[in-house]
Amino acid sequence: MSNHKHFDLVVNLAITACASWEYRKEIGTLPSPSSFAPKYLILKRSIEATLDFFTGKERWGPKIILLKVTFLPAKTLLLLFLKRNTSCMKVADKVRNKIEKLPEGYVFGYDDFNIEQNEESALKVALFRLVKAGTIDRLSKGRFYKPQKGIVGNLNPDEYEIVKDLLFENQKPIGYITGYGIFNRFGFTTQLSNVIQIGTNFDKKQIQRGRYKIKFVRQWNTITNNNIYLLQLLDCIRYIKNIPDATVNQSFQRLTFLTKELSPKDIRTFASLALNYPSQARSLTGALLEKLNYNDLADRLFRSLKATTYFNVNISSDLIPNKQKWRIQ
């Protein structure tokens, strides 16, 4: 082993990576055989720094990691280490500066940072450390938010922030918030839910983000920026029996008030969109429009109903006097 010029040493480094980051810091360093010449540098570092340097990736355990290390002259290896370390520091500074400028409650992911592809691992490490420091909170895999401080702790982000990446594609709307969140926002109920519903043109499986369950509801109309509010109103009609902490009568009265505030142009669009909804929603929408004296639009909806179909909606005759016409029982 006296000739070091053509000397390559393969070191199998076995590291048990524990699930807890604190434990990982305590475990494992590179071996340091005394027979090696001083000109060859062997780095002795904790597992955190070792994995940062050689892989640049966070490892969640337990795992066994085998590293094949080719030993280079000390000067070369030190330069590689300094280059890697400097790159990580630059990414960490970028991340910290960007997060400082974000408003509280803002949700973001890896794509929000303008970094090179070879810096992605350093980005993940930087975000993980900010979570540990309490600067940001983790919402779900790959999604984080800058918490808003409350009296008894950090506040959760609002539902739009939680799902905003699911609502647009190439800056065009592909979904909109509906369901429980809209029931609350439109004044039908004061109750909140950890279920977020999104109206979309495609069937999708529900997903989980932290404590929030995200469900997708089929929408048969094309979604545009101009018709989202009208679609949300129609969804309230569609699910009028499912609005929590409110009777059907109370919900219909609220719907009457909100619809009355629409412009004549929006009323026509509202009626046209309703034609693509299930028959019970068409019936209630037609009865509502007739109540507001939009008889021609109500007739279009009436003609779309089957003569043999009846709807079990427990609503007062004071609100819909001609329930029999609309086949509402």
Side-chain angles (χ1 to χ4, degrees), residues 9 15 64 95 102 113 119 140 181 219 227 241 246 294 297 326:
L9 175 65
I15 301 171
I64 298 296
V95 172
L102 295 177
F113 297 91
E119 296 176 326
S140 60
Q219 173 55 249
N227 70 10
K241 295 191 290 186
Y294 290 97
L297 299 178
W326 293 101

Side-chain angles (χ1 to χ4, degrees), residues 229-249:
Y229 177 74
L230 301 177
L231 295 176
Q232 289 169 332
L233 275 180
L234 286 167
D235 287 345
C236 292
I237 295 175
R238 178 183 177 186
Y239 297 112
I240 193 169
K241 295 191 290 186
N242 300 331
I243 298 175
D245 199 30
T247 66
V248 171
N249 288 337

Side-chain angles (χ1 to χ4, degrees), residues 102-170:
L102 295 177
E104 292 181 341
Y106 187 87
V107 175
F108 57 91
Y110 300 136
D111 294 340
D112 291 87
F113 297 91
N114 186 22
I115 63 167
E116 301 296 330
Q117 187 174 359
N118 60 355
E119 296 176 326
E120 289 181 359
S121 57
L123 168 64
K124 294 178 181 180
V125 172
L127 290 173
F128 177 82
R129 289 173 178 167
L130 289 175
V131 171
K132 291 290 290 183
T135 305
I136 60 175
D137 282 343
R138 183 176 181 270
L139 176 64
S140 60
K141 184 178 181 181
R143 305 294 295 173
F144 308 86
Y145 66 97
K146 186 175 180 180
Q148 182 179 355
K149 308 298 181 182
I151 298 176
V152 294
N154 293 343
L155 302 177
N156 292 318
D158 66 38
E159 61 181 6
Y160 173 78
E161 284 292 326
I162 293 169
V163 300
K164 63 185 178 182
D165 59 307
L166 304 173
L167 305 181
F168 296 92
E169 189 175 87
N170 297 325

Side-chain angles (χ1 to χ4, degrees), residues 278-280 282-283 300-309 311 325-327:
S279 54
Q280 179 177 288
R282 298 201 305 271
S283 173
R300 286 182 60 196
L301 288 165
F302 178 75
R303 289 195 299 271
S304 73
L305 302 176
K306 293 182 179 179
T308 56
T309 305
F311 312 104
K325 170 187 173 180
W326 293 101
R327 304 185 182 97

